[in-house]
Amino acid sequence: MHVRGVDPRDTTWEHDDATYRVYFWDRSAQASDEYEVTDADVEDVLTWARTKAEETGSAYTLYVSVTDQGKPGLIRLSGAQGDPFA
């Protein structure tokens, strides 16, 4: 991990309402369940994802949904990196 101080004036926008995607990976069936979560804070989404993963015995990946140059994409926030079946 690398930490450095930043100038808060180096950004041009911010968005307070995020859309999250949570993927739950069932490794035995090599399948996943995907969910979109809105109107929630990241801590609430993390708590929900961890609880559901524990209850179902699956791994999870939490992403924030973003748009870059008009194209949708995902940024990983927590959990398994990449598609565990790839």
Side-chain angles (χ1 to χ4, degrees):
M1 180 168 65
H2 175 75
V3 180
R4 68 179 180 92
V6 296
D7 181 346
R9 298 170 293 179
D10 69 349
T11 58
T12 59
W13 63 272
E14 67 180 54
H15 193 347
D16 289 333
D17 297 320
T19 298
Y20 302 96
R21 292 270 183 103
V22 185
Y23 289 37
F24 294 96
W25 307 101
D26 180 345
R27 293 178 187 192
S28 63
Q30 292 213 348
S32 65
D33 286 326
E34 301 85 18
Y35 296 87
E36 183 173 275
V37 182
T38 58
D39 299 323
D41 193 63
V42 67
E43 286 89 1
D44 296 330
V45 180
L46 275 168
T47 299
W48 173 76
R50 288 175 178 149
T51 301
K52 182 170 178 58
E54 187 175 298
E55 289 172 353
T56 60
S58 59
Y60 76 91
T61 307
L62 170 62
Y63 300 95
V64 64
S65 180
V66 298
T67 302
D68 184 21
Q69 298 181 356
K71 297 178 182 175
L74 301 172
I75 298 174
R76 188 179 68 85
L77 298 177
S78 181
Q81 291 185 356
D83 181 346
F85 312 128

